[in-house]
Amino acid sequence: AVGRQLRTASAGNKRPRSVRCGNCDGCTRDDCGSCKNCVDKPKFGGLGQRKQGCVRKICSMPRVAV
């Protein structure tokens, strides 16, 4: 019973997930090809295991995912 209470209490403390706007300079920027996330992408010869966006693509107007 105690374990269940701890899990439900911590679930309410999560921050909302944000999504890129897709229109700002950061979103429309090309992949750098040199960061750890780009090096893993198949288009740069990686295995594609990380499945993360380029570190330099930082959105200036992120929105909350619904």
Side-chain angles (χ1 to χ4, degrees):
V2 175
R4 253 187 261 151
Q5 289 174 346
L6 291 175
R7 260 188 266 139
T8 55
S10 64
N13 295 333
K14 289 184 181 178
R15 64 183 176 99
R17 189 172 69 92
S18 63
V19 182
R20 291 189 200 141
C21 69
N23 300 322
C24 67
D25 291 336
C27 289
T28 56
R29 181 180 190 152
D30 291 333
D31 291 332
C32 69
S34 59
C35 70
K36 60 186 174 185
N37 293 336
C38 284
V39 169
D40 184 59
K41 291 183 180 185
K43 70 178 182 180
F44 295 115
L47 298 174
Q49 293 178 336
R50 294 183 65 92
K51 295 180 176 28
Q52 296 289 313
C54 178
V55 175
R56 297 188 182 154
K57 279 189 167 185
I58 299 172
C59 181
S60 60
M61 298 179 292
R63 56 187 176 87
V64 177
V66 179

